[in-house]
């Protein structure tokens, strides 16, 4: 149909072709991964800067209006943010640096235009209301006092929402695009050692979960577990259930999979589930020391005791469940360290204090947004330095074993994205919010499951390796549009759809924005 269905081949042959297509890869450089992952943040900055160029926002389709949840807002956000991301990972992948520079130049033009617009509006108000002198006929209407950015918890929450939405969008694009030849092989997951774009994926979700976790939240009622631990336990059970269902579905339909990623049975969802359970037992105050201890001990075991050789060998004992899933199980130690270090950053940089809605006066004096931003920049620089040093002198980055170099490399990338969101919010209007980002963040868990189902559907329609580049890009854009539409519908209209207290609830009414997400 329209060139989609390709030459019919035996199912086993197609499966082998697709598995070989993502095998024995070596990744790319630190620099290229960073530049590619800055395309969507740069497009997001351009989107925000352009919206302030119009003197009358209510009359402009490109302007961002507070709490707007319309189809127009969704489509503008999709065209301005998602489409550049798709092109940057496919047809324009060799020009990612030029894309970032061009997007930032256009954003600067938008900022200048915004300043000019504000000056024009200021002069117009002076002419209309007078200059406030005794001869003036009237005085301008009172302006609403802005929220102090230094003491606003929404600043951090909104930045975290943008950060996680960027992560989700990159993940959604990559899991489908990787099955097409238009997606560069250097961006796919490295086999043993190396830094591919998709190698950042699962580690980034571990970092995201650590930044958003509320494991230490006390219970409002009686019970051994606090509210944060109850929610964490329920989320972990959800992920484990999805992971088990994925195992059954993949084996039942003989879907292609690369065993070297997690093992014969293990998968992404089970890794997240186990790390979430581990996090429930660890108090935040102990995360820093525990994270470093685990990282040092684990790296020593990898290098000195030959654990890395065991993980990277293709030999398996088919009668031993541990051996069959050695990559997924052993890497849990590294992911536990990554989670602890990310939680330590959130605690040390006062992110926890800033995101609390009820803060004492002392808390407000001790922690400000600017202090947190400075700490974030410092942590980012340290992580980049450690990641580069460990990769160059001790052991190359390995997602397969999640070694120390991988841990700090993932932390560095995620904190860089977060810094970008912070700086954009400080330089541009902090009250501007993208509807698409809020919708994707709120329903990240449901949307991610839908994305996996759509990827399976696309792969079942034919051999994706024979699809022409233009059609592959069009298919990826259509797939992303479907995901964005589903997020929009869930976010704006009933029935309300979320998991709570062990039940699947459907309630009427619209969904209010919350910094919390279902993932």
């Amino acid at each position: 149909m329209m060139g989609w269905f390709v030459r019919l081949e035996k199912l086993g042959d197609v499966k082998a072709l697709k598995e070989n297509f993502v095998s024995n890869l070596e990744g790319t450089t630190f620099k290229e991964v960073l530049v590619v992952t800055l395309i969507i943040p740069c497009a997001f900055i351009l989107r925000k800067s352009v919206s302030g160029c119009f003197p009358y926002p209510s009359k402009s389709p490109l302007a961002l209006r507070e709490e707007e949840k319309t189809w127009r807002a969704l489509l503008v956000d999709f065209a301005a943010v998602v489409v550049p991301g798709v092109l940057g990972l496919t047809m324009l992948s060799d020009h990612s640096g030029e894309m970032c520079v061009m997007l930032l130049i256009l954003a600067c033009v938008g900022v200048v235009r915004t300043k000019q617009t504000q000056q024009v509006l200021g002069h117009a108000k002076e002419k209309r209301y007078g200059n406030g002198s005794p001869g003036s006929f009237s005085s301008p209407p009172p302006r609403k006092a802005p929220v102090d950015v230094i003491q606003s918890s929404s600043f951090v929450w909104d930045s975290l929402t943008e950060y996680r939405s960027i992560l989700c969008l990159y993940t959604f694009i990559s899991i489908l695009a990787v099955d097409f030849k238009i997606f560069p092989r250097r961006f796919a997951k490295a086999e043993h050692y190396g830094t591919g774009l998709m190698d950042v994926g699962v580690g980034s979700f571990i970092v995201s979960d650590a930044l958003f976790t509320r494991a230490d939240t006390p219970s409002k009622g009686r019970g051994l577990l606090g509210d944060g631990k109850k929610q964490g336990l329920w989320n972990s059970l959800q992920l484990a259930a999805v992971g088990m269902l994925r195992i059954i579905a993949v084996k039942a339909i003989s879907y292609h999979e690369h065993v070297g990623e997690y093992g014969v049975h293990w998968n992404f969802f089970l890794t997240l589930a186990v790390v979430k359970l581990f996090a429930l037992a660890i108090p935040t105050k102990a995360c820093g020391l525990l994270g470093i201890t685990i990282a040092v001990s684990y790296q020593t075991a990898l290098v000195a005791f030959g654990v890395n050789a065991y993980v990277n060998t293709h030999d398996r004992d088919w009668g031993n469940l541990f051996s069959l899933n050695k990559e997924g199980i052993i890497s849990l130690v590294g992911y536990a360290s990554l989670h602890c270090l990310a939680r330590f950053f959130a605690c040390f940089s006062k992110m926890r204090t800033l995101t609390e809605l009820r803060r004492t006066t002392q808390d407000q004096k001790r922690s400000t947004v600017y202090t947190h931003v400075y700490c974030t920049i410092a942590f980012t620089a340290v992580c980049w330095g450690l990641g580069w040093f460990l990769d160059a002198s001790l052991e190359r980055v390995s997602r397969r074993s999640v070694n120390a170099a991988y841990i700090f490399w993932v932390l560095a990338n995620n904190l860089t994205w977060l810094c970008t969101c912070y700086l954009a919010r400080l330089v541009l209007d902090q009250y501007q919010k993208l509807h698409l980002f809020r919708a994707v963040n709120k329903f990240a868990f449901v949307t991610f499951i839908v994305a996996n189902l759509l990827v399976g559907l696309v792969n079942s329609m034919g051999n994706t390796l024979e699809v022409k580049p233009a059609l592959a890009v069009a298919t990826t854009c259509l797939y992303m549009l479907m995901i964005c539409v589903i997020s929009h519908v869930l976010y704006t209209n009933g029935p309300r759809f979320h998991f709570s207290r062990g039940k699947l609830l459907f309630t009427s009414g619209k969904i209010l924005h919350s910094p919390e997400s279902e993932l």
Side-chain angles (χ1 to χ4, degrees), residues 357-399:
L357 297 179
R358 296 179 180 179
R359 290 179 291 154
T360 65
T361 304
Q362 282 299 111
D363 290 334
Q364 293 177 356
K365 290 180 180 179
R366 285 197 305 264
S367 59
T368 67
V369 164
Y370 291 121
T371 302
H372 170 64
V373 171
Y374 297 149
C375 285
T376 304
I377 294 174
F379 263 81
T380 304
V382 170
C383 288
W384 276 118
L386 286 173
W388 175 83
F389 173 77
L390 293 170
D391 178 76
S393 62
L394 183 60
E395 185 183 31
R396 288 196 64 196
V397 170
S398 173
R399 174 205 46 81

Side-chain angles (χ1 to χ4, degrees), residues 3-142:
W4 221 111
F5 288 102
V6 294
R7 177 171 54 88
L8 294 177
E9 300 181 68
K10 293 182 180 180
L11 180 62
D13 294 339
V14 174
K15 179 183 177 183
L17 284 173
K18 291 183 176 181
E19 290 176 352
N20 291 333
F21 190 57
V22 294
S23 300
N24 301 315
L25 304 176
E26 297 181 356
T28 182
T29 62
F30 278 25
K31 178 183 176 182
E32 186 172 25
V33 172
L34 176 62
V35 172
V36 168
T37 55
L38 288 178
I39 292 176
I40 289 182
C42 290
F44 153 69
I45 293 173
L46 174 60
R47 171 72 180 100
K48 293 187 69 173
S49 66
V50 169
S51 69
C53 298
F54 305 95
Y56 303 102
S58 60
K59 299 180 181 179
S60 171
L62 298 180
L64 289 171
R65 287 173 286 281
E66 185 69 18
E67 298 300 329
E68 183 180 9
K69 303 175 182 178
T70 63
W71 286 103
R72 178 181 63 180
L74 174 73
L75 294 176
V76 172
D77 290 347
F78 175 81
V81 178
V82 178
V83 172
V86 173
L87 295 177
L89 297 186
T90 53
M91 298 183 73
L92 300 179
S93 58
D94 292 332
H95 306 282
S96 54
E98 292 89 334
M99 285 188 68
C100 290
V101 172
M102 183 59 66
L103 291 169
L104 290 178
I105 290 175
L106 293 175
C108 291
V109 173
V111 171
V112 173
R113 174 59 180 164
T114 299
K115 298 298 182 182
Q116 294 174 344
T117 301
Q118 291 174 348
Q119 291 177 358
V120 170
L121 290 177
H123 292 316
K125 287 184 178 181
E126 287 182 3
K127 290 180 180 180
R128 179 178 179 183
Y129 297 107
N131 55 11
S133 62
S136 300
F137 293 100
S138 60
S139 58

Side-chain angles (χ1 to χ4, degrees), residues 44-333:
F44 153 69
I45 293 173
L46 174 60
R47 171 72 180 100
K48 293 187 69 173
S49 66
V50 169
S51 69
C53 298
F54 305 95
Y56 303 102
S58 60
K59 299 180 181 179
S60 171
L62 298 180
L64 289 171
R65 287 173 286 281
E66 185 69 18
E67 298 300 329
E68 183 180 9
K69 303 175 182 178
T70 63
W71 286 103
R72 178 181 63 180
L74 174 73
L75 294 176
V76 172
D77 290 347
F78 175 81
V81 178
V82 178
V83 172
V86 173
L87 295 177
L89 297 186
T90 53
M91 298 183 73
L92 300 179
S93 58
D94 292 332
H95 306 282
S96 54
E98 292 89 334
M99 285 188 68
C100 290
V101 172
M102 183 59 66
L103 291 169
L104 290 178
I105 290 175
L106 293 175
C108 291
V109 173
V111 171
V112 173
R113 174 59 180 164
T114 299
K115 298 298 182 182
Q116 294 174 344
T117 301
Q118 291 174 348
Q119 291 177 358
V120 170
L121 290 177
H123 292 316
K125 287 184 178 181
E126 287 182 3
K127 290 180 180 180
R128 179 178 179 183
Y129 297 107
N131 55 11
S133 62
S136 300
F137 293 100
S138 60
S139 58
R143 296 180 63 185
K144 184 179 179 181
V147 179
D148 185 2
V149 68
I150 298 180
Q151 297 183 359
S152 174
S153 63
S154 65
F155 175 91
V156 178
W157 271 130
D158 291 337
S159 298
L160 285 172
T161 296
E162 293 160 357
Y163 149 74
R164 184 154 57 178
S165 301
I166 291 169
L167 168 60
C168 289
L169 290 177
Y170 270 118
T171 303
F172 297 156
I173 295 171
S174 299
I175 60 176
L176 176 63
V178 70
D179 293 323
F180 297 110
K181 287 187 175 180
I182 192 65
F183 187 85
R185 293 302 90 196
R186 64 185 185 276
F187 288 174
K189 293 178 180 178
E191 182 74 17
H192 300 291
Y193 295 96
T195 52
L197 170 66
M198 296 188 69
D199 287 315
V200 189
V202 61
S204 297
F205 278 99
I206 297 294
V207 173
S208 173
D209 178 66
L211 298 181
F212 277 78
T213 187
R214 283 293 177 264
D216 294 334
T217 302
S219 176
K220 296 179 181 178
R222 296 181 179 179
L224 296 176
L225 296 178
D227 290 339
K229 284 185 169 57
K230 290 178 182 177
Q231 185 62 42
L233 179 60
W234 171 234
N235 289 342
S236 180
L237 292 176
Q238 289 181 63
L239 289 166
V242 173
M244 297 302 295
L245 289 174
R246 189 184 188 281
I247 295 173
I248 297 172
V250 167
K251 302 302 179 184
I253 65 175
S254 190
Y255 191 76
H256 68 277
E257 58 178 339
H258 183 35
V259 175
E261 291 184 17
Y262 297 101
V264 177
H265 308 101
W266 204 266
N267 55 54
F268 166 83
F269 297 102
L270 295 179
T271 293
L272 285 184
V274 174
V275 174
K276 274 181 175 287
L277 279 177
F278 166 80
L280 298 179
I282 306 302
T284 299
K285 293 181 179 179
C287 281
L289 179 60
L290 184 61
I292 291 295
T293 302
I294 294 176
V296 172
S297 303
Y298 180 54
Q299 184 61 49
T300 302
L302 287 173
V303 176
F305 297 98
V307 177
N308 53 3
Y310 174 70
V311 173
N312 287 307
T313 183
H314 294 290
D315 297 333
R316 301 177 189 276
D317 179 0
W318 290 91
N320 188 321
L321 195 61
F322 180 88
S323 178
L324 292 176
N325 300 282
K326 57 185 178 179
E327 297 91 347
I329 296 174
I330 293 177
S331 65
L332 289 173
V333 181

Side-chain angles (χ1 to χ4, degrees), residues 334-346:
Y335 286 126
S337 173
L338 178 60
H339 180 96
C340 287
L341 292 175
R343 275 178 71 183
F344 168 72
F345 155 74

